[in-house]
Amino acid sequence: MANVLMFAEVRGGELRKVALEALVAARRLAAASGGGAVHAVLAGAPGVGAHAAALANGGADQVLLLEHDGFAHYNPEALTATLAERLRGGSYGYALFSATAQGRDLSPRVAARLRTGLAPDLTGFRVEGDAVVGEHFTMNGKVVATLALSGSPALLSVRPAAFQPAADPRPLATEAITSAADPMASRVKVTALRQGNSGTLDLNDAPVIIAGGRGLKAPEHFRLCDELAAAFGNAAVGATRAVTDEGWRPHSDQIGQTGRNVSPTLYVAIGISGAIQHLAGMRTSKTIVAINKDKDAPIFKVADYGITGDAFEVVPALIEAVKQAKAQG
Amino acid sequence: MKIAVCIKRVPVMEAKFAIAGDGTRVDETGLKWDVNDFDLWAIEAALQLKEANGNQGEVVAISLGPDAAQEQLRKAMAMGADRAILLQCDRPPADGLAVAEALAAELAGGGWDLVLFGRIAIDSMNQMTGPMVAELLGLPCVTNVCKLAVANGAGEAERALEGAAEVVTFPLPAVLTIDDGLNKERLPSLKGIMAAKKKPLDVKPAALGAAHVAQVKAALPPERAAGRILGDSAAAVPELVRLLQTEAKVL
Ligand SMILES: Cc1cc2nc3c(=O)[nH]c(=O)nc-3n(C[C@H](O)[C@H](O)[C@H](O)COP(=O)(O)OP(=O)(O)OC[C@H]3O[C@@H](n4cnc5c(N)ncnc54)[C@H](O)[C@@H]3O)c2cc1C
Ligand SMILES: Nc1ncnc2c1ncn2[C@@H]1O[C@H](COP(=O)(O)O)[C@@H](O)[C@H]1O
């Protein structure tokens, strides 16, 4: 039996959906290794403890609450010291992180501090004897590797959207903890957070993604994507590198090898050719729709449904049709 | 400025991959190789910093890999790196910590102002080596750098997050991992290629750390079933919506 320490990601004071996903993975890990407890580390400025209830509801047996002004922003050095100290205590067999910019910054630091193994960005895993065996994309998403992770504590990070958040309520048990290093003395200091398109869903949280490519021809035509996203209601808008290079959309909207990895239920690619570097970031989407006037575009090789037509004719019709479908419930 | 850049030799990803006979990795027969994309941007960042500092100091490219990785180190020198080091091993292990320990052993005590990495190697997709090396060396570290300014022994960077960015300050010496969007790499000039042939390239065995992670299997993801073309105009929209509702059940 081994306890699992999980790191609950907070950004700008908000608990991220990936934290609840990681909690589901942590519960599964605890169960697979003989039914240990799941402890969630929740760090932030005073007040962040308000999210403890969500973590208990998602399956945390205990919330380790680290409230200090020095954690108002992500504080990698103080968090590394604190997590390493907890893990050295010996009661944890595993530590679990989200494979996000934050989790993929923090987990290697902790692994190196403890000289222990880290299996990154897993899409699934199981426990086999003393080892965790999990799947991890390599080769730009073209090859799935199975990694065997041994040693204790073993560190894992799980890919956003690979696990679905679920209610698994426990009585709320919160323990206030202190930082193992002075959080105000970190050499690396986050001084500001620049949120992206606030008000719209983040690409990793949206069940539907409408992505536009160079085929849209001008930044103002992304209105078509925005309107289609609004018609779906639960959608975010993404783009190709051709588009972000042109400055039509911010770099943070870029999907692909050098951008975001997304895995929504529905991915609608509009005026996107389907270059391998783009496919690397979206090919694991559940259903893919492509609208492209070139019937030979590679995007049609991965699309479930394709329309080989002009986006400027097809998309307005699609917007109306989706609105109608939604209205009919 | 004395800057080290860690670069990895990776397969060119346009390849149609096959799995090797032992079932644990890709078959390397016929693959083409290049410098990991993100590492090209790290080299470019190092060169720009050196140039901005009156070309003082040096840029050193370091790679852990097989002898063939000398080709990638020569490319880094053709772009402008002053010298290179190959930490030789048959094939870099899957465990990022084992690689980080070998790189840290080489970098320790080198008097570096900056040690640059790519955010991620597109073959391993580990995204861990940079911050691990930083930790092993006890250096401050900023990952996913997409904007960078360095002056007077300190730096300010922007760190790319999902749909947002953090502004980060840090003192030198430091470890940075470079993300897309910071720069576009220069192409090696003919003159650079000629000069690179004469630049020093040290070869030594890699002091790999113990491995905790092993790659026990490799497989190609299931092909997506062939899709359907529903039509070539807006007339196909009703059918698309019907399929999204009834078949894919996503609307
Ligand atoms: C190292 C490296 C990393 C990269 N990383 C990424 C990455 O992370 N993400 C990424 O996206 N790309 C990436 N790329 C770039 C990638 O190779 C492609 O260049 C890019 O994805 C192309 O974007 P696109 O599909 O928008 O444009 P294009 O390839 O120009 O395609 C535009 C498409 O629009 C169609 N079209 C034109 N007009 C219409 C119309 N009226 N109606 C409908 N369709 C129309 C055309 O038929 C065409 O297929 C990377 C490249 C490199 C070298
Ligand atoms: N074998 C290697 N030799 C030199 N640098 C490496 C090697 N492996 C990884 N790196 C560096 O670490 C970064 C991240 O790699 P990874 O953690 O494997 O995704 C790369 O972009 C390189 O800068």
Side-chain angles (χ1 to χ4, degrees):
Chain A
M1 195 176 90
N3 294 338
V4 179
L5 187 70
M6 68 82 54
F7 177 73
E9 182 166 333
V10 171
R11 183 199 285 174
E14 296 301 319
L15 187 69
R16 295 195 69 207
K17 177 165 164 254
V18 289
L20 299 174
E21 296 170 12
L23 202 45
V24 169
R27 277 253 67 97
R28 201 170 298 176
L29 189 54
S33 59
V38 171
H39 295 180
V41 174
L42 175 63
V48 77
H51 299 304
L55 293 171
N57 187 54
D61 296 297
Q62 188 152 40
V63 177
L64 304 178
L65 180 62
L66 184 53
E67 282 191 327
H68 190 289
D69 284 329
F71 292 98
H73 288 301
Y74 174 54
N75 189 332
E77 295 184 358
L79 284 171
T80 301
T82 304
L83 293 178
E85 184 187 57
R86 287 266 140 193
L87 291 168
R88 270 199 203 101
S91 72
Y92 297 107
Y94 307 98
L96 207 137
F97 299 80
S98 303
T100 52
Q102 197 177 102
R104 298 190 89 174
D105 181 271
L106 184 57
S107 54
R109 296 174 190 257
V110 178
R113 176 87 49 112
L114 298 171
R115 303 284 198 284
T116 195
L118 167 63
D121 202 16
L122 300 180
T123 53
F125 61 79
R126 61 206 169 275
V127 174
E128 287 181 7
D130 284 341
V132 178
V133 178
E135 282 72 43
H136 162 76
F137 277 108
T138 63
M139 301 297 168
N140 223 353
K142 294 175 100 179
V143 175
V144 183
T146 304
L147 302 177
L149 170 67
S150 54
S152 179
L155 272 53
L156 294 71
S157 66
V158 291
R159 177 173 277 226
F163 295 83
Q164 286 311 308
D168 189 356
R170 321 263 143 167
L172 175 61
T174 305
E175 181 196 336
I177 63 169
T178 52
S179 180
D182 178 359
M184 306 311 267
S186 299
R187 299 164 298 180
V188 169
K189 285 197 174 66
V190 176
T191 56
L193 174 67
R194 300 215 170 117
Q195 295 278 15
N197 315 342
S198 55
T200 60
L201 278 177
D202 183 83
L203 284 171
N204 282 120
D205 295 340
V208 176
I209 291 178
I210 314 297
R214 185 161 28 211
L216 284 171
K217 300 206 168 57
E220 58 272 23
H221 296 148
F222 266 78
R223 183 180 39 82
L224 288 173
C225 295
D226 293 330
E227 283 174 18
L228 184 54
F232 274 102
N234 53 351
V237 175
T240 62
R241 179 163 172 185
V243 165
T244 56
D245 274 356
E246 293 284 351
W248 296 354
R249 300 294 277 202
H251 175 67
S252 56
D253 285 358
Q254 183 177 316
I255 292 165
Q257 170 184 320
T258 46
R260 314 279 296 276
N261 270 309
V262 297
S263 215
T265 330
L266 175 63
Y267 190 93
V268 184
I270 303 171
I272 292 178
S273 60
I276 159 179
Q277 295 93 348
H278 185 75
L279 301 184
M282 49 65 75
R283 67 188 318 149
T284 56
S285 305
K286 186 161 165 275
T287 298
I288 299 175
V289 171
I291 299 165
N292 189 309
K293 68 178 184 190
D294 173 11
K295 67 175 180 9
D296 296 322
I299 190 75
F300 289 121
K301 291 213 178 75
V302 301
D304 301 281
Y305 309 118
I307 297 181
T308 57
D310 184 346
F312 298 104
E313 186 218 340
V314 175
V315 179
L318 184 56
I319 293 168
E320 287 317 311
V322 171
K323 276 188 191 158
Q324 263 184 32
K326 286 276 180 186
Q328 288 159 8
Chain B
M1 281 264 218
K2 192 171 170 189
I3 307 175
V5 189
C6 293
I7 69 168
K8 189 175 189 193
R9 170 185 188 260
V10 299
V12 172
M13 295 298 163
E14 275 74 6
K16 196 165 168 55
F17 287 104
I19 304 303
D22 73 354
T24 70
R25 54 187 176 82
V26 298
D27 181 356
E28 293 180 357
T29 319
L31 292 184
K32 293 195 182 71
W33 300 79
D34 201 345
V35 178
N36 181 41
D37 301 323
F38 292 82
D39 304 351
L40 290 172
W41 303 322
I43 297 169
E44 179 63 35
L47 295 173
Q48 288 186 14
L49 284 166
K50 183 184 163 191
E51 286 157 9
N53 282 277
N55 265 321
Q56 298 296 308
E58 63 170 351
V59 172
V60 181
I62 304 176
S63 190
L64 181 151
D67 267 326
Q70 292 194 28
E71 191 186 329
Q72 282 68 44
L73 290 167
R74 291 282 172 211
K75 177 168 175 177
M77 291 192 285
M79 287 170 70
D82 300 288
R83 59 185 175 93
I85 301 168
L86 174 66
L87 302 176
Q88 201 180 27
C89 68
D90 288 344
R91 180 178 292 117
D95 187 343
L97 185 57
V99 174
E101 289 189 64
L103 292 171
E106 175 59 32
L107 290 160
W112 310 104
D113 296 298
L114 284 170
V115 182
L116 304 188
F117 289 82
R119 167 170 67 85
I120 188 171
I122 59 177
D123 59 347
S124 72
M125 299 180 79
N126 271 343
Q127 194 170 325
M128 59 173 75
T129 309
M132 282 178 161
V133 169
E135 188 60 37
L136 296 172
L137 296 176
L139 291 176
C141 173
V142 182
T143 58
N144 302 17
V145 170
C146 58
K147 271 191 193 153
L148 178 64
V150 174
N152 305 323
E156 184 175 275
E158 233 174 82
R159 207 172 102 66
L161 311 178
E162 302 83 18
E166 283 169 343
V167 182
V168 188
T169 60
F170 60 94
L172 299 193
V175 170
L176 306 177
T177 81
I178 305 301
D179 208 343
D180 186 17
L182 181 66
N183 59 44
K184 284 254 173 296
E185 79 277 11
R186 66 193 67 187
L187 294 174
S189 66
L190 194 57
K191 195 167 143 237
I193 294 169
M194 298 310 290
K197 292 185 177 152
K198 297 197 197 84
K199 291 180 178 173
L201 196 169
D202 236 6
V203 180
K204 37 179 126 170
L208 290 166
H212 306 267
V213 180
Q215 182 166 317
V216 293
K217 188 179 157 200
L220 303 177
E223 291 277 328
R224 291 190 77 97
R228 265 175 287 164
I229 301 293
L230 307 177
D232 62 4
S233 71
V237 165
E239 175 65 356
L240 173 61
V241 169
R242 191 186 69 77
L243 288 166
L244 291 179
Q245 287 177 311
T246 58
E247 195 177 77
K249 299 193 166 50
V250 289
L251 180 63

